[in-house]
């Protein structure tokens, strides 16, 4: 854990320090990738079993440690420094875009909510959320968070000790929107896969090819998923840089999960953090992008009060 506190830094000092941490994170990540690649090559290219074992272990696991621990440590320090030095700017921009922060039970984004979306058939054990925000945009009450889902498992021989491993299986955003009227029952739509059941046919061939719909009563699901709403969802899918994995109408909220590299209330990884003006523009751009996503989804006046 990083407990370093710098006090208020000048623009020049902050620019220099952020640049140093960003450079360290990138260097250790590159070294880690080279080590992993070297380990894989050694496994297939070296014939001597003893040498193969040593090279594979040293290069592969050394690379993983460099990327995860050393690169990750630099990344954590970078985020902590940005939060410490630019937190006031971030909070002011958030409030300017979406009003005061709210905290209602209705709009929480947690494991229970994400489980209800049945993402990846719930084949994950751990959830991480970041930058949760509940607010209002153009009259629509919403909440959003960056979400990461991990498959956690153990490998190795019991007599040698088991190693706990984590594989990221989902990275994206979860968004919740308050609807004008509550749904009488849950209606779930999941991205269709080869293993999906037939599901409820909505009447839209394109929508039914993309999503498998389930609900207790077929007629109710059809009455909710009107041609206007299914077309709005399809337009949203075509307009985003990512994939809508599922959405659910539950009570008075529409909740959805989008797998995407976009991150809410964040600075893009491509930004040179020595350029503080570019950093600020990138952060504000991520807020405007979320506003655009909400606008695209809430043009249906039958569902959303604006």
């Amino acid at each position: 854990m990083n407990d370093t506190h710098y006090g208020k830094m000048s623009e020049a000092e902050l620019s220099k320090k952020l640049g140093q941490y960003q450079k360290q994170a990138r260097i250790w990540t590159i070294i880690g990738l080279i080590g992993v690649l070297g380990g894989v090559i050694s496994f297939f290219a070296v014939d001597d079993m003893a040498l193969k074992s040593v090279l594979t272990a040293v290069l592969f696991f050394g690379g993983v440690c460099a990327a995860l621990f050393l690169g990750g440590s630099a990344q954590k320090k970078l985020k902590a420094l940005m939060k410490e030095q630019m937190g006031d700017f971030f909070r002011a921009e958030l409030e300017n875009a979406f009003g005061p922060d709210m905290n209602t039970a209705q709009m929480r984004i947690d494991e229970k909510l994400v489980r209800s979306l049945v993402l990846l058939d719930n084949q994950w054990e751990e959830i991480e959320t970041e930058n949760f925000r509940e607010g209002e945009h153009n009259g629509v009450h919403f909440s959003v968070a960056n979400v990461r889902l991990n498959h956690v498992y153990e490998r190795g021989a019991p007599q040698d000790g088991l190693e706990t491993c984590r594989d990221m299986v989902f990275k994206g955003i979860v968004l919740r929107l308050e609807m004008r009227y509550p749904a009488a029952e849950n209606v779930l739509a999941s991205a269709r896969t080869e293993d999906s059941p037939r599901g409820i046919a909505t009447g839209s061939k394109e929508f039914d090819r993309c999503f498998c719909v389930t609900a207790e009563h077929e007629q109710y699901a059809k009455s909710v998923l009107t041609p206007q709403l299914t077309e709005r969802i399809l337009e949203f899918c075509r307009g985003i840089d990512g994939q809508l994995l599922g959405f659910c109408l539950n009570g008075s909220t529409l909740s959805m999960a989008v797998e995407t590299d976009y991150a809410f209330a964040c600075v893009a990884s491509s930004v040179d953090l020595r350029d503080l003006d570019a950093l600020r523009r990138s952060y504000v751009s991520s807020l405007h992008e979320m506003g655009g996503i909400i606008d695209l989804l809430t043009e249906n006046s039958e569902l959303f009060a604006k």
Side-chain angles (χ1 to χ4, degrees), residues 70-245:
L70 298 175
S73 175
Q75 192 67 33
K76 288 178 181 177
K77 289 178 181 178
L78 187 155
K79 287 185 176 181
L81 182 60
M82 276 202 295
K83 184 176 180 181
E84 177 185 292
Q85 298 295 320
M86 305 193 73
D88 290 343
F89 169 78
F90 294 154
R91 285 186 290 272
E93 290 298 324
L94 268 172
E95 188 158 332
N96 182 56
F98 304 120
D101 193 16
M102 306 177 189
N103 187 21
T104 65
Q106 171 195 357
M107 304 297 280
R108 285 177 186 161
I109 295 176
D110 53 17
E111 181 173 349
K112 181 179 179 181
L113 181 275
V114 178
R115 291 276 180 199
S116 73
L117 296 172
V118 200
L119 298 181
L120 308 166
D121 293 326
N122 279 331
Q123 297 300 306
W124 52 273
E125 292 74 34
E126 184 179 77
I127 180 172
E128 300 175 36
T129 61
E130 184 181 42
N131 294 356
F132 172 83
R133 184 73 178 191
E134 181 180 350
E136 188 174 286
H137 176 72
N138 287 344
V140 177
H141 183 195
F142 78 96
S143 64
V144 64
N146 300 320
V147 173
R148 172 176 168 160
L149 303 178
N150 298 318
H151 172 44
V152 183
Y153 58 97
E154 293 182 329
R155 68 180 179 187
Q159 63 269 22
D160 299 326
L162 296 175
E163 177 189 8
T164 301
C165 303
R166 283 175 172 79
D167 292 339
M168 183 180 69
V169 294
F170 171 86
K171 184 182 77 169
I173 61 169
V174 171
L175 173 64
R176 308 192 73 187
L177 303 168
E178 184 175 7
M179 299 186 295
R180 183 190 291 270
Y181 307 110
E185 63 181 66
N186 290 0
V187 178
L188 175 67
S190 303
R192 190 172 287 282
T193 67
E194 293 180 355
D195 300 324
S196 296
R198 180 174 178 273
I200 296 170
T202 64
S204 167
K205 291 183 179 180
E206 183 180 358
F207 184 88
D208 293 338
R209 281 197 303 269
C210 296
F211 297 98
C212 175
V213 177
T214 56
E216 185 176 353
H217 297 98
E218 180 175 338
Q219 284 304 119
Y220 179 74
K222 289 182 176 180
S223 71
V224 172
L225 295 173
T226 61
Q228 292 82 4
L229 180 56
T230 56
E231 181 56 32
R232 178 64 53 204
I233 295 293
L234 290 172
E235 286 182 17
F236 172 72
C237 293
R238 291 189 285 263
I240 60 171
D241 184 16
Q243 181 187 8
L244 177 60
L245 290 191

Side-chain angles (χ1 to χ4, degrees), residues 244-259:
L244 177 60
L245 290 191
F247 66 90
C248 180
L249 289 86
N250 178 17
S252 60
T253 60
L254 168 65
S255 304
M256 59 176 52
V258 181
E259 189 170 40

Side-chain angles (χ1 to χ4, degrees), residues 58-75:
V58 171
L59 291 173
F60 185 87
F61 292 107
V64 170
C65 289
L68 292 183
F69 296 106
L70 298 175
S73 175
Q75 192 67 33

